[in-house]
Amino acid sequence: MALVVLYEDNHLIAVKKNAGDIVQSDQTGDKTLAEEVKSYEDFANKNLDAMFMCVTNTPIAKSISEKICQILDNKTLIIDITTHNKTGSMETEKIFKAKNINYVECPVMGGPVQAEEGILGGIVGASDENFKIAEPYFNFFCKEYFHFGTVGMGAKSKLLNNFLSLGNAALVNHLAKSATEMGLDLKKVFDVAKLGSGNSAALNRVFDNLLKGDFTGFKFTASNSVKDLTYIQDLLKDFPEAEKVAEVNKNYFQKAVDDGYGENFISELINKK
């Protein structure tokens, strides 16, 4: 999701590139006011203490950073929520560091529901000094957050967590699809799975909705899964057994993309050919 979130006074302003997709939340409880930034130059007079950046991938993040760092004041703290490749956040930090702008990476665990409720999990890479500066902002959108070390460590941890999450999601899809084609009672399959070590957030997220005829329980697209698993494969290239697992899962989602289901949620693939 190409999204920029600005913290200004008592407002969180989120600006998405698509017209009409502005999302804003006022932490005071006052009536929210929409404000759209139409160009990079509009940031110049915002007098920002911090800017949140969450974009689709590392190349886009670096491109935006090259432009925005020419405009922002060096007192602005960048909090980057983008899921980067293994070196992307370090490369992005260098761009801002050249302009003496402080940078923190904080990719998150959770989905749209958790984001709206402000209960995401933050995976932080930052210097100790920048971590302390950023902590008040983490509290706006994170239930918990964890400082893994310097910039780059957050990205690695995020990718490993996505390796687990996407692997679980793929297995749950295979379980549901196979059980359906075998004529098994899905509720009983779910109830049994919950009793064993196969129980997981992915299992519950998919089946709680699936049993109601809703295939949108796991709200992460096949195309985003391919992007993340490509990053994960690169991260794991020195761990051949793990890299092979990532490749198998990437191939599963890549087939969905090739079949025209790239923008479908993972769980929607259960009822696709």
Side-chain angles (χ1 to χ4, degrees):
M1 180 170 62
L3 182 69
V4 178
V5 184
L6 315 177
Y7 178 78
E8 181 182 9
D9 297 327
N10 63 345
H11 293 94
L12 281 174
I13 307 172
V15 183
K16 189 174 179 182
K17 186 174 181 181
N18 297 335
D21 288 342
I22 306 304
V23 181
Q24 192 228 9
S25 174
D26 184 347
Q27 293 299 313
T28 66
D30 295 336
K31 183 178 179 180
T32 59
L33 300 173
E35 181 175 347
E36 182 177 357
V37 176
K38 298 180 183 297
S39 70
Y40 289 104
E41 288 70 25
D42 286 351
F43 286 100
N45 62 358
K46 294 299 179 185
N47 193 30
L48 302 176
D49 294 316
M51 187 184 84
F52 288 58
M53 180 169 70
C54 181
V55 297
T56 308
N57 54 42
T58 292
I60 291 174
K62 290 173 64 178
S63 175
I64 289 173
S65 299
E66 291 280 7
K67 296 170 185 175
I68 202 72
C69 76
Q70 306 296 328
I71 297 164
L72 293 177
D73 189 280
N74 64 10
K75 75 178 182 62
T76 304
L77 174 68
I78 303 299
I79 302 178
D80 189 358
I81 306 177
T82 304
T83 297
H84 279 285
N85 63 33
K86 66 180 182 182
T87 60
S89 57
M90 293 183 286
E91 294 166 7
T92 304
E93 181 189 34
K94 286 181 181 179
I95 294 169
F96 287 107
K97 196 170 185 178
K99 295 293 183 179
N100 296 313
I101 297 172
N102 291 326
Y103 173 93
V104 169
E105 62 173 341
C106 184
V108 295
M109 300 304 294
V113 174
Q114 291 76 22
E116 286 187 16
E117 295 177 357
I119 56 171
L120 295 166
I123 304 171
V124 184
S127 68
D128 289 341
E129 181 181 358
N130 285 343
F131 176 74
K132 290 178 182 177
I133 296 171
E135 272 198 282
Y137 301 106
F138 298 150
N139 290 319
F140 283 111
F141 63 98
C142 292
K143 180 180 180 181
E144 295 184 85
Y145 50 88
F146 305 89
H147 186 197
F148 277 83
T150 56
V151 170
M153 299 302 285
K156 292 175 183 176
S157 178
K158 166 65 173 176
L159 291 175
L160 284 177
N161 275 279
N162 279 16
F163 177 46
L164 177 63
S165 298
L166 293 173
N168 279 343
L171 286 173
V172 171
N173 271 22
H174 295 316
L175 169 70
K177 194 176 185 74
S178 299
T180 299
E181 293 184 5
M182 292 177 186
L184 297 176
D185 184 314
L186 285 183
K187 185 178 185 309
K188 291 179 180 177
V189 169
F190 181 39
D191 289 341
V192 169
K194 286 191 294 183
L195 297 175
S197 57
N199 195 11
S200 68
L203 179 76
N204 286 277
R205 191 181 298 178
V206 172
F207 269 83
D208 281 343
N209 290 276
L210 183 61
L211 293 174
K212 301 172 187 175
D214 179 1
F215 288 87
T216 65
F218 203 105
K219 300 183 186 300
F220 197 74
T221 65
S223 59
N224 278 332
S225 300
V226 171
K227 184 265 291 183
D228 282 9
L229 284 161
T230 300
Y231 288 172
I232 290 164
Q233 267 194 275
D234 185 44
L235 177 68
L236 296 175
K237 65 182 181 181
D238 293 329
F239 305 89
E241 294 86 359
E243 192 273 338
K244 183 63 177 178
V245 174
E247 181 183 19
V248 169
N249 287 328
K250 186 184 78 172
N251 289 343
Y252 168 64
F253 293 116
Q254 183 64 60
K255 183 179 184 302
V257 172
D258 294 343
D259 289 344
Y261 304 125
E263 296 311 305
N264 285 90
F265 293 140
I266 287 175
S267 46
E268 290 182 299
L269 304 181
I270 293 169
N271 70 340
K272 305 299 182 187
K273 294 293 186 182

